[in-house]
Amino acid sequence: MAKTLYLSLTGMTEPLGRSQVLEYLMDLSKENAIYLLSFERENDLKNVDEIQALIKDQNIQWHYLTYSNKYGVFSTLWQLVQAIRLGSKTIHEHSIDIVHARSMIPATIGLVLKKLYGVKLLFDIRGFAIDEKVDTGRLQRSSLLYKLLKRLDDHLYKVSDHIVTLTHTAKEILHQSLDIPKEKITVIPTCASKELFKLLNEDEKRVFKSTLGYAEKDKIVVHTGTVSGWYDFEAEVRLVKAMINQDEDVRFLVLNKNEHPFVEKILEKYSLERERVKVASCSFNEMYKYLNIADASLFFIKPSFSKQASAPTKFAENVVCRLPSVTNSGVGDMGFYLEQYKVGMAVDLDTLDANLEKVAADVIGLMKSGAVDEDDFS
């Protein structure tokens, strides 16, 4: 039985950590001993007991540090020291074989542990981290800091014993730009648990839809999660408005926790009829119900170089719930999946406004066609 120290900057008390880390580890712990070290956000610590209850009967030992960015780089350095100290203790006490590092900062911790104790390092990249900072304007490509971080990032790729990436596009980029052998890279797209993202029967869908105040004829376009940052929410709203102009039964459902004022501002900017829009929050455990009653999931992500290594979590969740995704090309392998498996449609954001009426009609047609057949989602 392999013993793995799993390092995650994403907290288990966050929906993303629950979906994209803990669900995997609970399955892997059936045949492996997992020692999990994560960074939890202070606002999410109220969920610690829930996570501890989930793993109580699993072969997982969980320790966490409270994430802080209060003092910028000094906070990061202090947390690195704490994590290296706790990781060292875990390796000593449990004879760890592998350090599985989820993203760049954990991989940096893993590199130190590898040099100190000779453990294997698995670098699980979640995107091109340094290039993401450039694309968002947080780092200048000409700066010394960028050059130093980029050198560290490239070094992590080269010295890791194996790399996991989310997309085939990223695998090819790493092979071409850094001469990383392809056999050293495994592609594992984001996934979703069928136990969490369940299918409702038609009666259950009808009841839940009615409970939310929808009529049976309403066609629901849903956006789940963040609306700012990488997301082009304004383009989504423009498309939904064009759809409503063509079909008065179209409804827009925005499920989001912390950005309601921003959502309301954009809805007002484009004069979207409020009686056709719901802005709400829901728990991670309830998300599947909303995906079951929706007719299309809409999310536009601003294309960039760094996004070639991204695989949206919500796409996997949509697939499990047989909900078609309407998203844009130029992000990871999305274009391939949408074309190959017929699980939605890809939109060109550069030409969206010029073809708004046609795209709106195409999405309405997709919604009217109903859920994609199970065979298409296999």
Side-chain angles (χ1 to χ4, degrees), residues 162-165 168-176 178-187:
H162 202 78
I163 298 167
V164 171
T165 183
H168 293 276
T169 305
K171 177 176 180 175
E172 189 61 33
I173 289 171
L174 291 175
H175 174 65
Q176 294 291 338
L178 296 175
D179 199 29
I180 305 293
K182 288 189 176 182
E183 58 269 22
K184 184 180 171 179
I185 308 171
T186 299
V187 178

Side-chain angles (χ1 to χ4, degrees), residues 208-326:
F208 187 64
K209 192 171 180 178
S210 176
T211 300
L212 295 177
Y214 289 111
E216 190 171 342
K217 65 177 181 176
D218 289 341
K219 305 178 184 70
I220 301 172
V221 182
V222 65
H223 175 107
T224 60
T226 305
V227 293
S228 59
W230 289 108
Y231 288 91
D232 193 343
F233 186 65
E234 291 197 39
E236 293 180 30
V237 171
R238 292 197 298 273
L239 175 57
V240 170
K241 185 173 182 179
M243 293 170 63
I244 290 173
N245 289 340
Q246 294 184 27
D247 188 334
E248 61 181 13
D249 293 331
V250 170
R251 299 289 184 269
F252 192 28
L253 173 60
V254 182
L255 295 174
N256 172 279
K257 283 191 174 180
N258 303 310
E259 301 170 300
H260 289 193
F262 176 80
V263 173
E264 297 290 351
K265 179 181 177 181
I266 301 304
L267 295 176
E268 182 178 353
K269 177 179 178 179
Y270 290 99
S271 303
L272 207 62
E273 301 174 59
R274 290 302 281 109
E275 63 271 18
R276 302 182 190 276
V277 182
K278 288 185 188 296
V279 182
S281 301
C282 79
S283 69
F284 177 73
N285 291 332
E286 295 284 301
M287 180 63 74
Y288 75 97
K289 295 181 181 179
Y290 293 86
L291 299 184
N292 269 267
I293 66 164
D295 298 282
S297 170
L298 176 61
F299 55 100
F300 289 152
I301 299 172
K302 299 169 186 175
S304 67
F305 171 77
S306 63
K307 284 299 165 186
Q308 298 306 300
S310 294
T313 303
K314 63 187 67 184
F315 175 64
E317 295 167 352
N318 294 339
V319 167
V320 176
C321 291
R322 302 186 193 172
L323 176 64
S325 295
V326 178

Side-chain angles (χ1 to χ4, degrees), residues 26 37 69 76 86 111 251 253:
M26 287 194 292
L37 172 56
N69 195 33
T76 300
L86 187 52
L111 176 60
R251 299 289 184 269
L253 173 60

